[in-house]
Amino acid sequence: MQRPAAARGHTQTAWLDSRHTFSFGHYHDPAWMGWGALRVLNEDRVVPDAGFGEHGHANMEILTWVLQGALAHRDSTGASGVIRPGELQRMSAGHGIRHSEMNADARAPVHFLQIWLQPDRSNRAPSYAQQGYAPLPLVQGWTALAAPAAEAGAALPLHAAARVWAWRPSAGAQATHRLVAAQAWLQVARGAVRANGLALAAGDGLGLRDEAMLEISAEADSELLLFELL
């Protein structure tokens, strides 16, 4: 099922431009409440010297993937850090956590994806983790960013029944990925591709159910995220 970028929900303020693939905040569409364990997929742009002040979450796995710029994180567990392109942050809200996310650059906007996944169980202890990924593998093919803790290996351990992959194909690149999950979601962060024969551009998403393969042909330099929902 295709989710065109232009059909997403939209929040616009003086400091935030946010596009919502699924229902979020004041944007509600009963046809788009999530895709399996994937509950939120927001594309956010935040102007310099601004961001999300301290606020709370509970019982959600929250991932942040920066596309451009830098995002500063601080939370009530004492964790803090700056997330840049090629780095993934996981915040397990658990029984309750408070945090802030601010543009770390005083001159340029930050552009990022914020992703919420339903956790594998409720009320665990809150935690934070961040991991960087080498640029070359991301260009060469699908790189495992996160996976359930029991099988994570080199990927970031995730407290959810999901695997997260990224690929930055150059124009003309092609690849086939075998899907082991009954449900998956492909998000085109930038560029343009054909996915299982369907044309997708930046901001578009594609929900897959009971598909054995995902075939990608990049029509431009692109950045893709794939969520396999186990």
Side-chain angles (χ1 to χ4, degrees), residues 72-95:
H73 167 93
R74 185 178 300 275
D75 68 47
S76 55
T77 71
S80 63
V82 176
I83 316 156
R84 295 181 171 84
E87 299 175 336
L88 182 70
Q89 174 197 277
R90 186 214 77 222
M91 187 178 73
S92 299
H95 56 65

Side-chain angles (χ1 to χ4, degrees), residues 59-145:
N59 291 319
M60 197 64 67
E61 290 286 279
I62 299 174
L63 303 178
T64 303
W65 180 252
V66 172
L67 300 171
Q68 185 175 10
L71 189 69
H73 167 93
R74 185 178 300 275
D75 68 47
S76 55
T77 71
S80 63
V82 176
I83 316 156
R84 295 181 171 84
E87 299 175 336
L88 182 70
Q89 174 197 277
R90 186 214 77 222
M91 187 178 73
S92 299
H95 56 65
I97 195 169
R98 297 189 64 80
H99 78 135
S100 62
E101 295 168 297
M102 307 296 292
N103 190 339
D105 194 320
R107 296 166 297 175
V110 58
H111 180 197
F112 61 99
L113 298 180
Q114 185 167 114
I115 302 123
W116 295 11
L117 291 156
Q118 192 71 36
D120 53 14
R121 66 176 175 86
S122 297
N123 297 326
R124 68 170 65 248
S127 64
Y128 170 90
Q130 184 172 327
Q131 185 163 311
Y133 306 86
L136 185 59
L138 286 170
V139 173
Q140 291 177 329
W142 289 109
T143 296
L145 300 185

Side-chain angles (χ1 to χ4, degrees), residues 65 133-146 155 163-170 173-179 184-190 193-196 200 206 208 213-218 222-228:
W65 180 252
Y133 306 86
L136 185 59
L138 286 170
V139 173
Q140 291 177 329
W142 289 109
T143 296
L145 300 185
R163 298 190 188 100
V164 185
W165 305 80
W167 183 25
R168 295 174 178 163
S170 301
Q174 298 183 11
T176 298
H177 182 82
R178 186 174 69 87
L179 297 171
W185 184 271
L186 175 70
Q187 187 70 23
V188 182
R190 51 187 165 199
V193 302
R194 295 194 74 85
N196 287 2
L200 302 174
L206 179 64
L208 301 160
M213 295 288 180
L214 175 61
E215 297 180 354
I216 297 289
S217 177
S222 302
E223 184 159 355
L224 311 175
L225 287 183
L226 174 64
F227 303 89
E228 289 191 89

